[in-house]
Amino acid sequence: MLRKLKEFEYFAPKTIPEAISLLDQYQGKAKLFAGGTDVLIQMKQRKLIPEYLIDVKNIDGLNYLKYNTDEGLKIGAYVTHGILANSEIVQEKYTALAEGSLAVGSVQTRNRGTIVGNICTSSPSADTPPSLIAFDANIKLISIEGERVVKITDFFLNPFKNCMKENELITEIQLSDLPPNTGSAYLWLPKITALDETLVGVGLVLTLNNIEEKVCTNIRIGLGSVSPMPMRANNTEEFIKGKSIDDSVIKEAAEIASKETSPRSRAEYRKEMVSVYVKRALNKALERIK
Amino acid sequence: MDRLININLNINNEKYDLSVKPNTLLLDLLRDEIGLTGTKRGCDTGECGACTVLIDGVPVNSCIVLAVEVDGKNITTIEGLSHNGKLHPIQETFIEKGAVQCGFCTPGMILSAKALIDNNPDPTEQDIKVAIAGNLCRCTGYKKIIEAISAAAERMRRRE
């Protein structure tokens, strides 16, 4: 285990213009970080050797978590998993997201690590992307060339690779407001301890026409760790949409979900677990629709 | 690359004015430069929790925090828990309940417990398990640790 970090220059910009100017100036040699729970470990392992480290924590105006019915939930770049997991509004309205953040690591990890950092690392087994996919999140990016918005489903390209340019900074993750009769859940199968990788992650958002008829008017399912990048269970969604949710629909949906996945290792077991967890997530989301 | 950065820290209620290299980790600063060796190096990758310290009351893994990131913050290490030789209630119950064997996980474990109880004076067993999920112990099997934390919470409630 390499303990000492190689030397680098450290910047703590106080404004977004300062940060994007630094990113542009040191393109290819600079790395952004917030909580450091991925970046600093990668630097210790020599997977990352930046000459310049840019700390986003002091940037004015990135530390916010806001909700209103027009714009939905807006998560600033420096919001930790701990803040999301403990937020009452996130627990109540975006339950699958609170649960995803709670699944990340330990208390110590969650007190430092951010959801923006989590998606930047782009691990196929990350715990927040499935819920972000289920909530159809938008990612706001900025560079000296200007701003752009990328859908979460376009963000991940390959394991540990995403569509960010070297000089870009994520400023916000935005989730739209949800219609009535919507429930969500994130369930996951861990290896053993809280720190271990997730083997199967299911983030699910379900909307019904009403609780008597239980006809699905909207369904989005994000799956983690069962394909090269966090994926959307398109076939499963197509099957469920428009149907009245009952045990047989849930059972068949779970089987379709399993067939859509391509886990890299322990494939037979994990495909089986996808069925189990999709079934549980559907039931959980259903239970939460009041 | 040689540029030193000036930082001001409050560690266990004592002020420190230091000049550090950017690549200095908080764990190394505490142990090697300040001499507070109660905080331990375990896995060195933010998983085992042996390096746990409190930053403004919040538990973090100091092996993956840069010293320059904590300029202006209040840091609590295990050394900060006892006062004038009198042990903190959590330290008392850890000894009484037999929750210490080799002692290596103990500083981190106690700090995680302190943060839990300070925020949640009456934690359930499940609350305790979540709070210490990032503090690995190879000796005790956790049972007595959980009992000690529960007993400490009760003791602290009674003293309030």
Side-chain angles (χ1 to χ4, degrees):
Chain A
M1 186 72 240
L2 293 166
R3 294 185 343 211
K4 264 188 105 53
L5 294 174
K6 281 189 176 255
E7 295 198 359
F8 52 83
E9 199 167 341
Y10 168 84
F11 295 111
K14 294 208 168 53
T15 64
I16 292 178
E18 211 186 315
I20 58 181
S21 164
L22 283 167
L23 272 173
D24 193 62
Q25 190 181 350
Y26 297 116
Q27 233 177 115
K29 299 185 194 166
K31 184 71 187 168
L32 285 164
F33 86 112
T37 52
D38 284 331
V39 169
L40 289 175
I41 295 174
Q42 289 165 356
M43 285 171 66
K44 286 191 183 202
Q45 293 168 336
R46 302 290 188 263
K47 287 179 181 168
L48 255 177
I49 312 180
E51 289 177 45
Y52 305 93
L53 207 55
I54 303 174
D55 190 342
V56 305
K57 296 192 283 294
N58 299 294
I59 297 177
D60 199 32
L62 285 186
N63 189 359
Y64 60 86
L65 183 62
K66 301 193 270 223
Y67 170 77
N68 62 60
T69 50
D70 290 327
E71 294 167 297
L73 188 71
K74 292 161 76 123
I75 308 170
Y78 185 49
V79 171
T80 63
H81 295 294
I83 289 173
L84 277 173
N86 290 318
S87 156
E88 276 177 35
I89 194 77
V90 179
Q91 284 174 4
E92 187 200 315
K93 287 199 165 281
Y94 298 91
T95 320
L97 186 63
E99 292 177 323
S101 275
L102 190 60
V104 176
S106 63
V107 166
Q108 291 92 325
T109 320
R110 295 192 290 276
N111 282 332
R112 298 290 288 175
T114 60
I115 185 167
V116 165
N118 197 220
I119 67 170
C120 287
T121 300
S122 304
S123 164
S125 61
D127 286 304
T128 60
S131 299
L132 289 172
I133 290 170
F135 287 116
D136 198 14
N138 290 309
I139 316 297
K140 297 191 176 176
L141 299 125
I142 191 168
S143 70
I144 55 162
E145 281 120 32
E147 294 182 73
R148 65 179 180 132
V149 178
V150 172
K151 286 223 153 286
I152 186 72
T153 38
D154 295 328
F155 185 81
F156 302 107
L157 300 177
N158 264 310
F160 301 99
K161 290 231 167 0
N162 58 56
C163 70
M164 284 178 77
K165 293 189 237 132
E166 270 176 353
N167 65 348
E168 272 182 319
L169 162 73
I170 295 180
T171 52
E172 182 183 283
I173 298 178
Q174 183 257 343
L175 280 57
S176 302
D177 193 29
L178 301 166
N181 298 318
T182 298
S184 69
Y186 177 70
L187 295 173
W188 76 103
L189 173 70
K191 268 187 185 164
I192 302 172
T193 73
L195 281 310
D196 287 332
E197 225 190 317
T198 291
L199 290 178
V200 171
V202 178
L204 190 148
V205 177
L206 171 68
T207 309
L208 304 175
N209 66 342
N210 57 62
I211 54 175
E212 290 84 28
E213 294 170 326
K214 296 200 173 78
V215 173
C216 169
T217 53
N218 189 50
I219 174 92
R220 286 182 67 101
I221 305 176
L223 299 177
S225 199
V226 289
S227 52
M229 355 169 228
M231 61 174 274
R232 220 179 129 180
N234 288 298
N235 298 340
T236 314
E237 291 177 12
E238 209 183 298
F239 170 76
I240 296 173
K241 198 158 180 188
K243 293 195 169 67
S244 175
I245 310 290
D246 62 19
D247 283 345
S248 77
V249 168
I250 292 176
K251 185 166 188 272
E252 203 174 332
E255 282 165 24
I256 296 172
S258 170
K259 294 194 175 77
E260 285 197 76
T261 61
S262 49
R264 190 183 50 86
S265 65
R266 299 156 126 188
E268 197 184 321
Y269 170 63
R270 293 214 272 180
K271 279 167 105 77
E272 177 71 33
M273 289 299 111
V274 167
S275 281
V276 171
Y277 279 85
V278 165
K279 182 170 164 208
R280 289 182 188 179
L282 276 166
N283 278 312
K284 191 113 234 170
L286 202 57
E287 216 177 277
R288 287 172 172 168
I289 298 175
K290 306 179 251 294
Chain B
M1 295 294 181
D2 296 85
R3 194 166 69 103
L4 293 179
I5 298 181
N6 187 247
I7 59 173
N8 290 292
L9 303 179
N10 184 315
I11 304 176
N12 301 329
N13 288 317
E14 270 188 55
K15 288 188 177 18
Y16 292 83
D17 182 359
L18 306 157
S19 288
V20 298
K21 280 186 172 184
N23 66 341
T24 307
L25 291 156
L26 178 59
L27 177 62
D28 294 327
L29 183 81
L30 291 168
R31 289 181 55 85
D32 301 337
E33 300 198 27
I34 300 177
L36 292 168
T37 54
T39 310
K40 306 302 180 195
R41 181 193 312 283
C43 70
D44 217 18
T45 48
E47 293 202 7
C48 75
C51 67
T52 304
V53 298
L54 305 182
I55 299 181
D56 292 338
V58 159
V60 303
N61 292 316
S62 63
C63 69
I64 50 170
V65 173
L66 299 172
V68 292
E69 291 179 80
V70 294
D71 182 24
K73 307 272 189 218
N74 294 305
I75 311 232
T76 310
T77 68
I78 189 67
E79 290 90 346
L81 254 59
S82 57
H83 293 290
N84 299 319
K86 187 165 183 348
L87 294 179
H88 189 280
I90 305 174
Q91 289 172 308
E92 289 174 350
T93 59
F94 262 62
I95 296 169
E96 288 162 25
K97 295 287 180 184
V100 182
Q101 287 187 30
C102 81
F104 205 77
C105 77
T106 308
M109 196 66 83
I110 290 179
L111 287 169
S112 287
K114 179 184 191 309
L116 168 71
I117 299 170
D118 286 349
N119 280 308
N120 180 356
D122 192 4
T124 62
E125 187 175 315
Q126 185 59 20
D127 292 335
I128 295 172
K129 286 179 177 179
V130 171
I132 63 169
N135 292 85
L136 303 184
C137 172
R138 293 292 281 121
C139 298
T140 67
Y142 302 101
K143 189 163 187 291
K144 292 188 194 254
I145 290 175
I146 294 169
E147 285 170 17
I149 295 173
S150 201
E154 202 203 316
R155 189 165 300 183
M156 286 162 76
R157 286 196 305 276
R158 276 193 278 116
R159 287 182 192 177
E160 280 286 292

